[in-house]
Amino acid sequence: MRRSNNLIGLLNFITLVLSVPVLGGGIWLATRSNGTECLKFLLLPLIIIAVSIMVTSLAGLTGACYRNLLLMRLYLVAMILIMLVFLGFIIFAYAVTDKGSGRETEKRAYLEYYLEDYEGWLKERVESDEYWTKVSSCVKESKLCRKLGRTINGVPESAETFYLRNLSPIQSGCCKPPTECGYRYENETVWSSEGVVGSNKTDCRNWSNDQSVLCYDCDSCKAGVLATLKKTWRRVSVINILVLLFLFLIYIVAYAAYKNNRRIDNCQPCGETKIIKLQPSTFLC
C-alpha cells in the first residue's frame, strides 16, 4: 500500500530539487539583465516554468507523504493540465514549422534563406516589429557574426574558402548580404558594393558593413531565425514527447496512490488503520 505513495513522493522530491537550479537560473538572469531586451525576453518563461514545477512537485510530495486527499486531487488536476500543455505544444510546434527551408546556391556550401519561403503564425510573429526587436537583440548578443572571423597563418581566409563553409542559418542570413546582391567579399562580415549594379532588393539596401548593423534588419535574417526555430522546435518536440510519456507514468502512479489513500480514508479493509493517514510516509518524510 505504501509503495505507490513512496514512489510518487520520491519522484516529486527529485523534480522539486531539479526545479531549484532552474529558478536559480531565472534569478541569475534577472540580476544580469541590465535592461537588455534579450534577457528580459527569456526571463519570464524560465521563472514561470520553475515556479510551476516547484508548486506541483511540492503538492505531490506533501500529498503523498501525508496522504492528503485534497492535495493529491490538486496534484492530479495539475498533472492533467501540464500534460495537455505539453501535448498542445507538440502539435503546435509541428503545425507552425511545416513550411520553409534553405535554398542551395551555385558555388556555395552554405544555404540562402528567403522569408517568402515561410508562412503562417510563426512567420507573422517573427516579422512583427515588437517581436523582432527582442529577437534581433538576442542575435546580436550571441555574437555569432563575430565568431565567423578566421585567419590562416595570420591571414584572413579567402573568398573561396569562405564560400565552402557550412554556415548556420542565422550566420548566413544575418552576418552577410544575400548572394544575389553580388557584393564582393573582403572578409566574413565586410563586403564591397563597388562596381556592383544597384539591386532593388530591400536586403541589399539594408546591408551595412557597420558591425552593429550588418543584415540584422534584413528579411534573410528573419528567415534564418525561422529556419533555426524550425530545427530547434522539432528537436524540442521529440524531447517533449518523451517527457509527456514520463509524466503519464507519474500520473498513473499518483492516481494509484490517490486510490489507496481514499480507501484508507473510507476505512476500507486494507491492513492499515485510518489514523495512519495522519502520519507521513517513512520512506521520504
Side-chain angles (χ1 to χ4, degrees):
M1 289 300 170
R2 293 185 178 182
R3 287 182 180 178
S4 57
N5 280 311
N6 291 338
L7 182 56
I8 198 64
L10 176 62
L11 292 173
N12 280 284
F13 177 76
I14 293 174
T15 56
L16 181 63
V17 171
L18 292 177
S19 68
V20 173
V22 177
L23 182 60
I27 296 174
W28 179 78
L29 280 175
T31 59
R32 290 176 55 88
S33 63
N34 296 323
T36 59
E37 288 291 339
C38 182
L39 291 180
K40 285 182 178 179
F41 180 60
L42 296 173
L43 180 59
L44 184 59
L46 190 63
I47 291 180
I48 291 176
I49 291 172
V51 172
S52 300
I53 293 173
M54 290 187 72
V55 172
T56 304
S57 299
L58 189 59
L61 178 63
T62 306
C65 286
Y66 288 91
R67 298 187 173 92
N68 187 300
L69 291 180
L70 176 60
L71 286 178
M72 289 300 294
R73 289 192 192 102
L74 293 176
Y75 176 74
L76 290 173
V77 171
M79 286 292 292
I80 291 175
L81 293 176
I82 291 174
M83 286 190 291
L84 289 176
V85 168
F86 269 91
L87 181 60
F89 179 79
I90 292 168
I91 296 173
F92 176 76
Y94 278 100
V96 301
T97 60
D98 63 334
K99 301 287 185 180
S101 60
R103 300 184 192 176
E104 294 183 353
T105 305
E106 186 179 1
K107 298 180 180 179
R108 301 290 191 274
Y110 50 77
L111 301 177
E112 294 285 336
Y113 296 88
Y114 296 85
L115 192 57
E116 57 263 30
D117 291 343
Y118 297 85
E119 61 182 38
W121 177 87
L122 191 58
K123 176 187 175 183
E124 295 174 359
R125 180 74 168 168
V126 169
E127 277 187 302
S128 68
D129 293 337
E130 180 182 0
Y131 191 83
W132 183 246
T133 298
K134 300 173 182 179
V135 174
S136 60
S137 173
C138 292
V139 174
K140 292 176 184 179
E141 290 176 28
S142 70
K143 300 179 181 178
L144 285 173
C145 295
R146 184 180 301 178
K147 295 174 183 177
L148 274 177
R150 285 184 182 177
T151 57
I152 302 174
N153 295 325
V155 180
E157 68 178 350
S158 64
E160 290 73 19
T161 303
F162 177 77
Y163 296 154
L164 294 176
R165 291 176 62 177
N166 292 316
L167 305 181
S168 70
I170 290 178
Q171 288 175 327
S172 177
C174 305
C175 305
K176 65 171 189 59
T179 299
E180 63 183 1
C181 294
Y183 291 168
R184 188 176 70 255
Y185 173 90
E186 294 187 4
N187 66 41
E188 293 84 357
T189 55
V190 176
W191 298 70
S192 174
S193 60
E194 185 178 352
V196 178
V197 178
S199 173
N200 291 325
K201 187 174 176 61
T202 304
D203 282 1
C204 299
R205 297 195 300 268
N206 286 341
W207 167 260
S208 172
N209 287 326
D210 185 338
Q211 298 300 294
S212 65
V213 179
L214 296 180
C215 218
Y216 293 127
D217 288 328
C218 298
D219 285 345
S220 62
C221 187
K222 295 176 182 179
V225 169
L226 284 169
T228 302
L229 288 174
K230 177 180 178 179
K231 185 177 182 180
T232 302
W233 281 25
R234 290 294 177 94
R235 289 178 176 177
V236 171
S237 292
V238 173
I239 297 174
N240 283 341
I241 291 173
L242 298 176
V243 172
L244 183 61
L245 293 174
F246 178 69
L247 290 175
F248 183 70
L249 292 176
I250 293 179
Y251 180 84
I252 292 175
V253 176
Y255 185 72
Y258 170 75
K259 288 180 64 178
N260 290 337
N261 294 339
R262 190 171 61 177
R263 272 202 301 270
I264 295 173
D265 190 57
N266 293 333
C267 293
Q268 294 180 0
C270 57
E272 299 183 52
T273 61
K274 186 175 181 179
I275 197 172
I276 291 179
K277 75 168 191 166
L278 300 176
Q279 302 172 350
S281 171
T282 57
F283 185 73
L284 282 176
C285 309

